[in-house]
Amino acid sequence: MLGYLIRRILAAIPVMGVVALFVFLLLRLTPGDPAAIIAGDNATAEQLDRIRTQLGLNEPLYTQFFSWVWRLLHGDFGTSLISNVPVLQMVNQRIEPSLSIALSVMLVSILVAIPLGVIAAWKHGTWIDRFVMALSVIGFSVPVFVIGYVLVQVFAIELRWFPVQGFRSISRGFGPFFERITLPTVALSFVYVALIARMTRAAMLGVLGEDYVRTARAKGINESGVLFRHALRNAAVPVITVIGTGFALLISGVVVTESVFNLPGIGRLTVDAVLARDFPVIQAMILLTSGVYVGVNLLIDLAYALLDPRIRY
Amino acid sequence: MAIESLPNPALPSRSGPSLGFLTATPIIALATICLTLVILSAIFAPWLTSHDPQLLAPALRLKPASSEYLLGTDAYGRDVLARILYGGRISLLIGLGAAVTSIVIGLFIGLFSGFFKLADAVMMRVMDGLMAMPGVLLAIAVVSLSGATLTTVLIAITIPEIPRVARLVRSVVLSAREEPYVEAAISLGSSMPKIMLKHLMPNTVAPLIVQGTFIAASAILTEAILSFLGAGISPETPTWGNIMAEGRAFFQVKPSLIFWPGLLLSIAILSVNLIGDAARDALDPRMKQREAGK
C-alpha cells in the first residue's frame, strides 16, 4: 500500500510538469512580443520594458522556465500586473464563494444522483428509468447559464424567494449565506447530477445480475439492503471515478456560475484577469485548478484501495 | 463442408454504418428533425430574414416583439431573430470544426501511442497534463492571448478535446493489435503505415463517429461559454453566446434576449447528444462496457 501511494504520487509529478510547461509556453508561443501582448496596443516603450523585467523576458527561455518553476515550488505564484498584489493573496481573498459552491454542488449532486441512478437501474426499462435517463441528457445539454437565468427569472424575480445575485460570507450568518448560494448550487448541480446518475445506473446494471446479488435476495435480505449494501458497494469504483474526472467540469462550471450570479469568487477573478490580460494571474489560476484536479483524482485513486478489497497494489 | 464458405461474424460489413439509428425511437427522430431545422435555418438565414444582424439602429433599441421584428430588437436596435439565425452558423461551424480537427489530430496521436511503446509513455503523460487543465480556463486563456478570431476560438476549443480522442483511439488500437490478423500482417512483413491505415484504423471509425458527435456538442457549448464570458469571437459578430452576453445587462428589462438564444442553444446541444447516444447504441455496443469499466 505504501509503495502504491508513493508510486501514485510520483506519477502526478510529470502530469503537473506538462501543465507547467504548457502554461509557460502559452505566452511564449503566441506570435508576437509577449510584453506587447500583455501591455496591449497603446503601451509605451517604458511600460514594455517594465513588463519584460518583471517577467524576466530578457533571459533565455530555459532559464526563464526553471527559475519560474523554482519560484512556484517556493510558493511564489507571481504578482498581478494590474493590482500588484501577490496572486496567492488574491486567491485567498476570493476562495470562499468558489469553494462554497463547489462543495455544496458536490454534496447535493451525490445525494441526489446516486439514489436516482440506483432506482433507475433497479426499475430498469420502466418509465422511472426513462425519466432519469431523459433528465440526465437534458442536464448534460442545457448550459449552466441558461439554467441559471431561468432559475433567477422564476425564483428571484417572479416569486422573490431568493436574491437575484451576490454573495454573503458564512461568517456573517448562515441564513443570508444559504439564501445566496441556493440558486447557484441548483443551477450547477444539474450537469453533475446527470453525470453521476448516468454512471451509477450503468454500474448498477452491471452488478445487479451478479450471483452475490441473487444470493443476497435468496437469503431474504430486504431490497434496499440488497441495492445499497450489496450492489452499490460493488458498483462504487466507476461512480467515484466519474466524480473525480467530472471535477474538471465542476471547475469550469463554477467559473460560469460565478458570472451569472455575480459571485466574487476565483472564477470571476480568472475571467477578469483574462479580459485584462493579467498574465501572472491567468498562469497561476490554470496551475492551481489543475493542481486541485490532479490532487482530487489522486485521493480518489487511493480511496479505491480502501473501498474495494479486491484491488490490491 | 468447406471451411472457407462459413460466414465469419467477426468481419465488419463492407457497406459501412447505416444511418437507420437517426430514427430509432420517436425522441431520436425528433432530435434529428430539430437538428436539421437548426442547420437549415443557419444556412438559409439570409432568406429567412431581411434584417442585417449587424446593422445598428440606436433609435430602435430594446423594442418589444412586433410583426416587423418578431423577437424584438437588442440594446443596439439590431433584430434579435436575425442575430439568432445567423448566430447558429458560428455555433455549428465550431461544433463541426472542433469535432473534425480533434479527431484528425487525436487519431494520429492515438495510432502512434497504441503502436509504439516509447511514444506511448511520453504522449500519454502529455495527454494527462492537457486533461488536467479545465477546458474552459484553457480556452479563454488561449483566446485572450492570441486574439479572438474564429480560428483561434476553434483552436482553443479543440485543444482540450484532443486527449479524449487520443485515449479512445489508443485503447482501440491496443486491443486490436493483439488480434491474429494484425499479428499475421506483422509477420508477413507489411509496412508500418499499411498496418496502421489498413488494419488498425478501420476499428476506430465507429467509436470516432460516436465520440465526434459528443465533441461537437461540447464544442458548441464551450463556444457559447467563451462568448458569454466575453472571451469569445468579437461581440458584434452574432453568436448565441454573444447575444446572451449582451442580454445580461438588460436581463431584468428584457429576459427574452437571454432565453431565445439559450433555448436554441439547448435544443441544438440536446439534439446532438441524443443523436450521439443513438449512434453509440447502434454502431458501438462495446463502448458502454468500456465507459463502465474504466
Side-chain angles (χ1 to χ4, degrees), chain B residues 128-182:
Chain B
D128 284 346
L130 276 182
M131 279 179 101
M133 290 180 264
V136 169
L137 288 191
L138 188 61
I140 56 177
V142 171
V143 172
S144 79
L145 286 170
S146 36
T149 64
L150 188 62
T151 320
T152 51
V153 169
L154 183 65
I155 293 172
I157 293 175
T158 304
I159 292 174
E161 304 286 352
I162 291 172
R164 294 209 242 164
V165 180
R167 283 170 157 248
L168 175 67
V169 172
R170 174 179 173 268
S171 74
V172 172
V173 169
L174 280 180
S175 61
R177 62 173 293 179
E178 304 299 324
E179 298 281 336
Y181 63 86
V182 177

Side-chain angles (χ1 to χ4, degrees), chain A residues 94 97-98 101 145 148-149 152 163-169 180-181 183-184 187 253-269 271-272, chain B residues 228-229 248-249 251-252:
Chain A
R94 302 178 68 163
S98 311
I101 302 180
F145 48 95
Y149 278 112
V152 168
V164 174
Q165 45 180 224
F167 181 77
R168 194 65 63 78
S169 168
R180 284 168 179 80
I181 199 123
L183 289 185
V254 167
V255 174
V256 181
T257 312
E258 286 178 7
S259 284
V260 173
F261 293 94
N262 222 352
L263 307 173
I266 54 169
R268 238 2 275 176
L269 177 70
V271 174
D272 291 344
Chain B
F228 180 77
L229 292 175
R248 281 168 67 186
F251 178 65
Q252 306 221 20

Side-chain angles (χ1 to χ4, degrees), chain A:
Chain A
M1 185 67 198
L2 188 70
Y4 172 70
L5 185 84
I6 293 169
R7 267 207 314 281
R8 205 47 204 77
I9 291 172
L10 287 179
I13 294 174
V15 175
M16 284 315 292
V18 170
V19 173
L21 191 64
F22 193 88
V23 167
F24 175 79
L25 290 177
L26 202 57
L27 182 64
R28 272 76 182 180
L29 288 187
T30 30
D33 176 7
I37 291 175
I38 291 170
D41 298 333
N42 303 320
T44 61
E46 205 177 39
Q47 280 172 316
L48 291 181
D49 251 7
R50 190 176 64 88
I51 291 173
R52 281 201 197 97
T53 336
Q54 200 173 341
L55 293 180
L57 291 173
N58 297 323
E59 311 279 326
L61 213 54
Y62 63 91
T63 322
Q64 288 181 40
F65 180 68
F66 286 112
S67 66
W68 177 65
V69 171
W70 185 251
R71 285 197 303 275
L72 287 177
L73 291 174
H74 286 78
D76 175 9
F77 280 75
T79 307
S80 161
L81 293 173
I82 310 285
S83 64
N84 265 323
V85 176
V87 178
L88 278 187
Q89 196 182 325
M90 294 170 90
V91 171
N92 206 15
Q93 285 163 355
R94 302 178 68 163
I95 193 80
E96 196 195 336
S98 311
L99 209 60
S100 311
I101 302 180
L103 291 179
S104 58
V105 166
M106 251 185 155
L107 191 71
V108 169
S109 307
I110 291 171
L111 289 179
V112 173
I114 290 183
L116 273 183
V118 169
I119 293 170
W122 182 43
K123 296 282 179 196
H124 179 52
T126 65
W127 68 268
I128 300 178
D129 183 22
R130 278 198 290 276
F131 174 75
V132 172
M133 288 310 281
L135 204 71
S136 98
V137 185
I138 293 172
F140 224 83
S141 304
V142 184
V144 55
F145 48 95
V146 177
I147 301 176
Y149 278 112
V150 171
L151 291 177
V152 168
Q153 177 71 22
V154 175
F155 294 101
I157 295 176
E158 309 263 337
L159 295 172
R160 297 178 176 278
W161 289 358
F162 299 100
V164 174
Q165 45 180 224
F167 181 77
R168 194 65 63 78
S169 168
I170 195 165
S171 58
R172 294 168 64 188
F174 185 74
F177 167 80
F178 181 78
E179 252 184 356
R180 284 168 179 80
I181 199 123
T182 306
L183 289 185
T185 301
V186 174
L188 187 51
S189 292
F190 271 85
V191 62
Y192 221 45
V193 166
L195 191 72
I196 300 172
R198 226 181 145 97
M199 187 51 80
T200 308
R201 175 183 174 275
M204 284 292 286
L205 281 178
V207 299
L208 278 178
E210 297 282 342
D211 290 343
Y212 53 80
V213 170
R214 198 184 53 199
T215 310
R217 285 198 174 120
K219 281 197 320 193
I221 296 176
N222 65 3
E223 198 59 22
S224 68
V226 172
L227 286 176
F228 287 93
R229 277 220 310 281
H230 291 259
L232 185 60
R233 280 182 75 163
N234 284 291
V237 168
V239 176
I240 291 172
T241 307
V242 88
I243 293 175
T245 50
F247 202 77
L249 213 66
L250 187 64
I251 295 174
S252 298
V254 167
V255 174
V256 181
T257 312
E258 286 178 7
S259 284
V260 173
F261 293 94
N262 222 352
L263 307 173
I266 54 169
R268 238 2 275 176
L269 177 70
T270 314
V271 174
D272 291 344
V274 164
L275 298 180
R277 298 178 169 215
D278 193 348
F279 202 71
V281 179
I282 304 176
Q283 276 186 323
M285 292 318 299
I286 297 182
L287 269 173
L288 287 172
T289 48
S290 309
V292 171
Y293 174 81
V294 170
V296 165
N297 282 288
L298 184 65
L299 285 178
I300 282 174
D301 268 7
L302 300 177
Y304 289 158
L306 298 174
L307 270 165
D308 195 337
R310 283 171 302 188
I311 298 179
R312 283 276 169 263
Y313 301 96

